[in-house]
Amino acid sequence: MCGIIGYVGYEDAVPIILDGLKKLEYRGYDSAGIAVMDDQGFSVVKQKGRLTALEELVRKSPIAGYMGIGHTRWATHGEPSDINSHPHLGSKNKIAIVHNGIIENFKQIKERLEQKGTVFVSQTDSEVIAQLAEHYYNGDIIDTVIRVTNALEGSYALGIMCIDEPGKLIAVKKDNPLIVGISDKGNFIASDVPAVLAHTNKVYYMNDKEIAVLTKDGVSFFNTDNEPIEKTPETITWSIDSAEKGGYEHFMLKEIMEQPRVLKDTINSALRSGENKNLLDSLDITRFNRIVITACGSAYNAGMVAKYVFERLCRISVDVELASEFRYKDPIIDENTLVILVSQSGETADTIAAMREAKSRGAYTLSIVNVIGSTIAKESDATLYTLAGPEIAVATTKAFSAQLVLLYILAVRFAHKLKRITDDQQEELLSEIAALPDKSYELFEHVDFIQKYASNCVGYKSIFFIGRNIDYAISMEGSLKLKEISYIHSEAYAGGELKHGTISLIEEGTLVVAISCSEKLYGKIYSNVEQVISRGARVLFIGNCIQAIPDDRLSIIEIPKVNELFSPSLSVIVLQLFSYYVAANKGLDIDKPRNLAKSVTVE
Ligand code: F6R
């Protein structure tokens, strides 16, 4: 997601901020900017594109100041552009802010301020913070920040400067990270430790709704009643490299751990307010008689899961097609077909080609994409955005999970529009989806067990994954994850298919990972488990309805109870952790597996 750095002190803020932004580059961004303050007021330089271009601009038209804020932006509301880049200033040029997060009620605030005459210049949710702060400003910046944060719904980490209170850099956060670094040459705010590590290893971790006031000589903290609070700094002992990964050994593990937050952001964007919600409200499903989901790799697996959810809830037949196949098969689609394209990057060549094929045949194309402004987002008829933030590990985890929840919500909303479910049923299903972030968090209790179990799996040449119905669909993702990062051959099978061939491969010591989140099908999958155990297999059984007879060869991971249609969001996190720890125990380059690229832009 976006990166924030701020400085107030005895040195020129510009090089410190530019250097800090470079240290935040790993978070991914599409534009960058800086605002500094000196005795004359604010100087702002910001633009779409790489940091090198920002540095070049600053070199050509130098700016300087003793205090400043900088930002790398990953677009969520409003396309990547110069005007949408941060910092944002209020119309009176009195308050400048940088923001990381999502303001869910920005439309309401914007409308209110527009009625009072405020003129907005960007399409971002963030600009409302600067405008609202100017609107409330009464000579006391802390008081103003309290009022602003009371009005905001959503998540934020903010760096704020006010022209009338020179020398004060203000920071506040809710549900997004922010640290305060202290040193003899001045004080810092940042999204993450690497941005300040060159200057200090003494940092305060801010808690939600705490307000930090930094001056060149010190930092004070306040609560939302404007009362001072005491905090103790921590000493960072990480290297820059591990600091970028939030202290985790690999980006993949960091991204797995980010999933409760990503699920929450994506679900809120679809259910509470924002462009995703607007699109879901306005889409007319009743005109389609067929749904085709097309994608590649993990995104295809998300489609396989979605097929079960759509068909069960909407009673419309759904075909899931590999995008690389779809374009060559003379697909049977027309203007009554809804074609859903799923892609993290929005740049996968095969998925782009499938989209163009579908459009040329008159189908309506709806994309589910993570990268704003990507080709698929631009060319499809409509786009729902996963709010996963930049995904750095090649193997997708958090973007996949965000795709799943958007697909569930789409299915529930469509089922309701088609009158296949009642208002109450829709309400109940959506609240089960809204409960997923908290339930996913509970899964991290199993990390130690999974790590230990995985350490005994490094010697396998082949591992099988089985499930039935939707559990089979998610076992395909478990299998893909394992093979791509651990280089162990693996296959996913529908449990009932074992006896039609694969069971001949089961022998003493083979590992089978079985998934069971459907009470109705538990007996069936358990009988598959018994069959493979009796042929000498070890089984790792993952589910929420397991009642197995204890066996030395059987290990069980219980996951929280949830409607089986949404259970893949929980089982997949266990599968991701399992793959990660197998690969970690093999000492592999997990974030960059051999022969793979993050975005496959060639056929
Ligand atoms: C697997 C993985 C790939 C991608 C596939 C599609 O972990 O990341 O299988 O899912 O290459 O990429 P996108 O989603 O960018 O279209």
Side-chain angles (χ1 to χ4, degrees):
M1 286 282 194
C2 306
I4 287 177
I5 165 90
Y7 169 75
V8 51
Y10 292 94
E11 297 187 6
D12 181 10
V14 176
I16 290 176
I17 288 172
L18 288 175
D19 183 62
L21 289 178
K22 269 189 235 155
K23 301 287 179 348
L24 295 171
E25 262 188 310
Y26 73 92
R27 297 165 73 91
Y29 66 102
D30 46 51
S31 49
I34 170 170
V36 287
M37 187 167 156
D38 64 8
D39 300 337
Q40 319 301 315
F42 292 135
S43 311
V44 184
V45 184
K46 56 180 194 170
Q47 69 168 27
K48 180 179 164 186
R50 309 302 298 165
L51 266 178
T52 42
L54 183 77
E55 281 177 314
E56 187 54 25
L57 262 187
V58 172
R59 203 184 53 75
K60 280 197 193 132
S61 320
I63 53 170
Y66 59 86
M67 174 162 91
I69 48 182
H71 189 266
T72 47
R73 174 172 189 251
W74 168 269
T76 54
H77 292 78
E79 56 172 18
S81 69
D82 294 353
I83 201 77
N84 286 338
S85 318
H86 296 219
H88 287 285
L89 269 61
S91 316
K92 299 178 207 152
N93 280 335
K94 269 183 176 297
I95 289 180
I97 65 109
V98 282
H99 168 222
N100 173 20
I102 295 161
I103 303 305
E104 288 160 8
N105 60 340
F106 86 98
K107 280 227 165 87
Q108 293 91 309
I109 298 177
K110 191 170 177 175
E111 274 162 26
R112 243 175 44 218
L113 291 175
E114 277 173 339
Q115 276 160 18
K116 292 180 198 290
T118 306
V119 178
F120 283 78
V121 291
S122 77
Q123 291 106 45
T124 63
D125 55 338
S126 309
E127 190 188 345
V128 300
I129 304 168
Q131 301 286 15
L132 192 64
E134 281 195 351
H135 177 69
Y136 282 152
Y137 187 66
N138 56 0
D140 180 345
I141 190 66
I142 302 182
D143 194 49
T144 304
V145 169
I146 293 170
R147 288 189 71 189
V148 169
T149 52
N150 283 342
L152 299 179
E153 283 169 24
S155 58
Y156 48 81
L158 294 170
I160 303 168
M161 301 191 294
C162 175
I163 213 89
D164 291 341
E165 304 204 24
K168 277 189 199 165
L169 174 60
I170 313 290
V172 62
K173 65 149 252 164
K174 181 179 159 263
D175 292 341
N176 264 314
L178 201 59
I179 57 145
V180 171
I182 47 172
S183 80
D184 291 342
K185 65 177 180 188
N187 298 308
F188 307 81
I189 60 167
S191 298
D192 212 347
V193 172
V196 300
L197 217 45
H199 311 285
T200 180
N201 64 351
K202 290 258 176 304
V203 304
Y204 294 93
Y205 283 89
M206 291 191 65
N207 293 319
D208 280 357
K209 296 259 187 150
E210 285 174 353
I211 298 164
V213 181
L214 290 76
T215 62
K216 59 185 175 15
D217 297 316
V219 185
S220 14
F221 294 95
F222 299 87
N223 65 18
T224 44
D225 291 324
N226 206 342
E227 295 160 347
I229 46 176
E230 289 296 321
K231 282 180 79 73
T232 318
E234 291 184 30
T235 305
I236 300 292
T237 51
W238 306 335
S239 66
I240 286 258
D241 182 49
S242 75
E244 282 185 350
K245 295 169 191 145
Y248 293 108
E249 207 175 328
H250 298 98
F251 281 110
M252 181 176 174
L253 187 56
K254 177 172 180 262
E255 287 163 3
I256 291 173
M257 297 300 181
E258 279 169 12
Q259 287 178 111
R261 161 94 245 134
V262 164
L263 291 180
K264 198 167 172 197
D265 283 347
T266 307
I267 293 167
N268 284 348
S269 76
L271 298 185
R272 293 175 69 162
S273 71
E275 284 156 38
N276 281 347
K277 180 174 185 315
N278 296 345
L279 179 61
L280 287 163
D281 287 346
S282 61
L283 263 180
D284 175 20
I285 174 82
T286 49
R287 67 192 174 98
F288 304 117
N289 56 20
R290 211 174 146 229
I291 299 176
V292 174
I293 303 176
T294 180
C296 299
S298 292
Y300 170 84
N301 293 338
M304 288 299 291
V305 171
K307 174 180 167 70
Y308 287 93
V309 186
F310 272 93
E311 291 189 344
R312 185 86 61 83
L313 296 177
C314 301
R315 310 309 298 157
I316 288 191
S317 144
V318 176
D319 290 316
V320 189
E321 307 271 8
L322 289 165
S324 53
E325 292 290 311
F326 181 81
R327 56 198 285 198
Y328 297 118
K329 64 175 289 217
D330 193 7
I332 307 170
I333 51 174
D334 58 26
E335 56 284 356
N336 298 319
T337 314
L338 170 66
V339 174
I340 302 176
L341 307 136
V342 187
S343 175
Q344 185 284 130
S345 61
E347 299 295 351
T348 300
D350 286 321
T351 315
I352 292 174
M355 170 185 65
R356 291 181 180 155
E357 179 70 32
K359 286 188 87 167
S360 74
R361 291 170 188 249
Y364 183 84
T365 52
L366 170 66
S367 59
I368 296 185
V369 168
N370 196 39
V371 180
I372 293 200
S374 56
T375 305
I376 295 177
K378 278 199 288 226
E379 287 187 25
S380 55
D381 294 308
T383 303
L384 289 169
Y385 286 105
T386 47
L387 298 189
E391 199 175 51
I392 293 165
V394 164
T396 182
T397 51
K398 59 178 183 169
F400 174 84
S401 288
Q403 289 162 356
L404 279 189
V405 291
L406 278 185
L407 286 160
Y408 301 155
I409 293 171
L410 195 59
V412 173
R413 297 297 312 271
F414 280 5
H416 185 250
K417 286 184 191 201
L418 290 165
K419 302 201 183 345
R420 305 276 195 242
I421 56 173
T422 61
D423 292 356
D424 286 351
Q425 285 169 322
Q426 170 172 251
E427 209 46 46
E428 196 183 319
L429 289 164
L430 293 178
S431 63
E432 291 205 53
I433 295 171
L436 286 171
D438 286 346
K439 292 190 176 174
S440 66
Y441 196 75
E442 289 173 36
L443 295 169
F444 298 144
E445 285 168 12
H446 298 295
V447 165
D448 288 348
F449 173 82
I450 298 170
Q451 191 168 7
K452 195 148 165 262
Y453 192 91
S455 69
N456 292 318
C457 297
V458 290
Y460 284 110
K461 294 272 171 294
S462 189
I463 295 178
F464 295 92
F465 290 76
I466 58 170
R468 283 173 180 254
N469 272 209
I470 203 159
D471 292 327
Y472 164 52
I474 201 63
S475 74
M476 292 169 67
E477 175 61 7
S479 167
L480 176 60
K481 214 75 315 164
L482 181 80
K483 69 175 79 136
E484 68 176 324
I485 61 168
S486 75
Y487 314 149
I488 294 175
H489 168 258
S490 71
E491 289 194 46
Y493 270 89
E497 276 295 288
L498 273 179
K499 58 186 172 302
H500 297 290
T502 322
I503 203 152
S504 65
L505 292 171
I506 306 294
E507 54 186 10
E508 191 62 35
T510 305
L511 179 63
V512 176
V513 179
I515 301 161
S516 177
C517 295
S518 159
E519 302 241 22
K520 203 173 67 203
L521 291 173
Y522 175 69
K524 304 280 175 202
I525 197 77
Y526 185 52
S527 108
N528 294 136
V529 166
E530 286 183 314
Q531 285 157 18
V532 294
I533 286 184
S534 69
R535 284 161 180 81
R538 278 173 69 193
V539 173
L540 177 61
F541 208 176
I542 302 165
N544 55 17
C545 52
I546 299 172
Q547 294 166 355
I549 300 165
D551 190 300
D552 285 351
R553 296 169 203 241
L554 182 66
S555 302
I556 295 172
I557 298 180
E558 274 285 343
I559 64 174
K561 285 250 182 267
V562 63
N563 184 320
E564 65 169 286
L565 292 179
F566 312 135
S567 63
S569 289
L570 303 184
S571 39
V572 78
I573 294 179
V574 177
L575 294 168
Q576 292 164 350
L577 284 165
F578 172 67
S579 302
Y580 171 80
Y581 283 115
V582 172
N585 275 294
K586 290 182 83 175
L588 296 173
D589 187 359
I590 295 181
D591 288 333
K592 293 193 182 74
R594 67 185 180 207
N595 307 336
L596 292 177
K598 183 71 188 157
S599 175
V600 186
T601 54
V602 290
E603 191 177 357

